């Protein structure tokens, strides 16, 4: 979009500082408005990335990093203020409470009132579903 390039590979600190300043207040305003109107209890807000970023510099910047990434959820039954999982001291590998993409998706579906297990269908001898027959609801993030 017009907000800038979050997929930056260089000048990470200056680029992301500027971008974060552009989104912090609007996101806080959205959450405050939803809560004030009594809508946050029924509205799920998901803020995530398509992948993580490598913790160290690679040439002039950082590259894609499949080992760890972050996302945050709010509203619709999410435990407010809860932090789930952590990386190691180098932000390279997941150190505690790993959550797979399938777990995150199962949890989001659960918060939306959908049992991902009931979405299973068989085709050509293989079971399929949105969570690719994987994933468990992360109970620790539920309020």
């Amino acid at each position: 979009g017009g907000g800038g390039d979050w997929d930056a590979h260089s000048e990470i600190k200056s680029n992301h500082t500027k971008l974060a300043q552009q989104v912090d207040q609007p996101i806080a305003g959205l959450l405050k408005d939803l809560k004030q109107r009594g809508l946050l209890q029924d509205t799920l807000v998901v803020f995530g990335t398509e992948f993580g970023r490598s913790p160290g510099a690679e040439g002039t910047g950082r590259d894609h990093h499949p080992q760890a990434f972050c996302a945050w959820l709010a509203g619709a039954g999410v435990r407010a203020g809860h932090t789930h999982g952590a990386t190691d001291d180098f932000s390279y590998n997941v150190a505690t409470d790993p959550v797979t993409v399938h777990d995150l998706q199962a949890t989001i579906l659960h918060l939306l009132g959908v049992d991902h297990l009931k979405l299973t269908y068989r085709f050509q001898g293989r079971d399929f579903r949105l969570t690719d027959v994987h994933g468990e609801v992360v109970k620790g993030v539920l309020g």
Side-chain angles (χ1 to χ4, degrees):
D5 189 5
W6 283 99
D7 190 17
H9 290 259
S10 62
E11 300 180 35
I12 304 295
K13 184 171 173 50
S14 62
N15 285 340
H16 288 183
T17 297
K18 179 183 73 170
L19 293 169
Q21 289 170 344
Q22 292 174 5
V23 300
D24 279 352
Q25 189 172 8
I27 290 169
L30 170 66
L31 295 173
K32 183 177 180 181
D33 188 57
L34 288 169
K35 185 174 182 179
Q36 195 173 54
R37 295 171 189 272
L39 297 172
L40 190 57
Q41 64 191 21
D42 297 319
T43 304
L44 178 63
V45 179
V46 179
F47 196 99
T49 65
E50 60 180 321
F51 46 72
R53 283 293 189 188
S54 59
E58 296 180 3
T60 60
R62 300 185 316 167
D63 206 352
H64 303 165
H65 180 58
Q67 303 305 321
F69 68 97
C70 66
W72 62 260
L73 310 173
V78 173
R79 183 186 299 176
H82 175 72
T83 299
H84 190 90
T87 58
D88 60 19
D89 290 341
F90 299 104
S91 300
Y92 193 78
N93 289 305
V94 177
T96 61
D97 298 324
V99 174
T100 68
V101 171
H102 303 297
D103 296 338
L104 178 60
Q105 189 172 26
T107 304
I108 289 170
L109 288 168
H110 174 81
L111 291 164
L112 295 173
V114 177
D115 181 352
H116 75 106
L117 299 174
K118 291 185 178 178
L119 299 175
T120 305
Y121 67 94
R122 195 153 192 79
F123 179 72
Q124 294 184 342
R126 182 182 182 272
D127 286 341
F128 289 87
R129 68 174 171 250
L130 290 175
T131 54
D132 193 27
V133 298
H134 301 284
E136 295 183 22
V137 173
V138 182
K139 303 241 189 271
V141 303
L142 304 180

